[in-house]
Amino acid sequence: MGILPVLESASWNVSFGGPGTGSRPLSGPWYSTHKTQLLGVLLAAASNFLISVSLNIQKCSHLRLACRTEPKPYYTSKLWWCGITLLGLGEVGNFIAYGFAPVALVAPLGCVSVIGSAFISVLFLKKTMRAADILGGTLTVTGTYLLVTFAPNVPQELTARRVQNYLVSWPFLVYLILEIITFCILLYFYKRKAVKHIMVLLMMVALLASLTVIAVKAVAGMITLSAKGKMQLTYPVFYIMIVLMATSCAFQVKCLLSFLGVFVIARNKREEHLQIPFIDCGLIPGKKLTGKIQPDSRSSRYGTLNNEDDSVKSQS
């Protein structure tokens, strides 16, 4: 909803024809010029909505397993595997969309999965929609609209030689150096200074995701050109981009798992109580304790100090 007007306004950024071009979204000149981008946008929106459905299916599977009297591993649930399959299909659709539409159009449409997950969880999982959720969703949609409308929209074939030229250009090198420095600083605070704040992990994931988007766009563009008959798979840069894509994705997963361990588990951790009481006698002035303070609970001396008779004699 709202995609066609957005593309129509974006068409004014580039002169595809006369002033009347793009005045009607479904007119012949407009459709012939934007049909490839329109396919990529629709594919990205549908894929992200499929991802939101898959995440809620997995959540439903976990909730069902938690209600069972005999807990089972989540990977034995058919419903969970159904969600994983839909998630894989959605990610494949996103990958293909990058081959048909510019990054400025495809990447912001990731918000569809966020908004879709929020509404599906409210409708089917009976979650509560808070005011903060509504505000966040509104800001997300607004930011997506601004990005898609005002971002540079210059369609061009992303050949292997063009990718090589981009990788050694000064803008990309400056961006890469700044990103590496920022990531190292965040990693230093996370590892050395034990700063376990959620924003540190999310910022590291976001920095890695930017490299993933670049690599995915390059790989998808070269595969699309190869499918059209312009072979690009023989260039080494194609395989370099594949390695960059896989590596950045793997580190994102690792950071997200750390986020789950640090934030979610810590937030939901219940207070633990010792089943066996422990008696802490503290330090006794003038006496060196070398034995156990608390003997084994199955021992006859449970609840007493070692060498109690000797300590009584010394006091007497």
Side-chain angles (χ1 to χ4, degrees), residues 61-120:
S61 172
H62 285 292
L63 292 176
R64 287 186 179 183
L65 292 174
C67 295
R68 294 174 62 95
T69 55
E70 297 180 359
K72 293 173 58 179
Y74 61 89
Y75 52 80
T76 60
S77 172
K78 295 181 180 179
L79 188 62
W80 186 83
W81 280 108
C82 178
I84 284 292
T85 304
L86 293 178
L87 179 63
L89 291 176
E91 294 296 347
V92 170
N94 263 334
F95 179 81
I96 297 175
Y98 278 104
F100 294 101
V103 176
L105 293 178
V106 177
L109 289 175
C111 79
V112 175
S113 62
V114 179
I115 304 300
S117 296
F119 281 101
I120 293 174

Side-chain angles (χ1 to χ4, degrees), residues 177-313:
I177 291 172
L178 292 176
E179 177 158 326
I180 292 175
I181 293 174
T182 306
F183 186 83
C184 291
I185 292 174
L186 293 173
L187 190 62
Y188 171 78
F189 279 102
Y190 177 71
K191 291 291 186 180
R192 297 294 184 181
K193 300 298 184 179
V195 180
K196 304 297 184 180
H197 198 275
I198 179 177
M199 290 303 299
V200 175
L201 291 168
L202 291 182
M203 288 177 65
M204 289 194 294
V205 171
L207 291 174
L208 292 172
S210 65
L211 290 177
T212 305
V213 169
I214 294 173
V216 168
K217 176 59 182 177
V219 172
M222 286 186 278
I223 291 178
T224 303
L225 289 178
S226 300
K228 293 179 179 179
K230 301 177 181 180
M231 181 55 62
Q232 306 292 319
L233 306 185
T234 57
Y235 291 87
V237 68
F238 173 76
Y239 301 97
I240 293 176
M241 290 292 103
I242 288 181
V243 173
L244 177 62
M245 179 179 64
T247 305
S248 58
C249 286
F251 276 99
Q252 285 181 74
V253 172
K254 184 177 180 180
C255 290
L256 287 174
L257 290 177
S258 300
F259 158 70
L260 291 174
V262 171
F263 182 71
V264 179
I265 297 177
R267 186 184 63 176
N268 298 328
K269 185 177 180 182
R270 297 179 180 178
E271 184 180 358
E272 297 181 358
H273 300 277
L274 294 176
Q275 300 296 328
I276 301 175
F278 177 76
I279 302 174
D280 187 5
C281 295
L283 295 177
I284 302 177
K287 184 174 178 60
K288 183 179 180 181
L289 299 178
T290 58
K292 295 180 179 179
I293 296 295
Q294 184 77 326
D296 186 73
S297 60
R298 291 169 293 182
S299 172
S300 59
R301 298 179 56 82
Y302 178 73
T304 62
L305 294 171
N306 284 349
N307 301 324
E308 185 179 4
D309 296 334
D310 297 338
S311 62
V312 173
K313 290 181 181 179

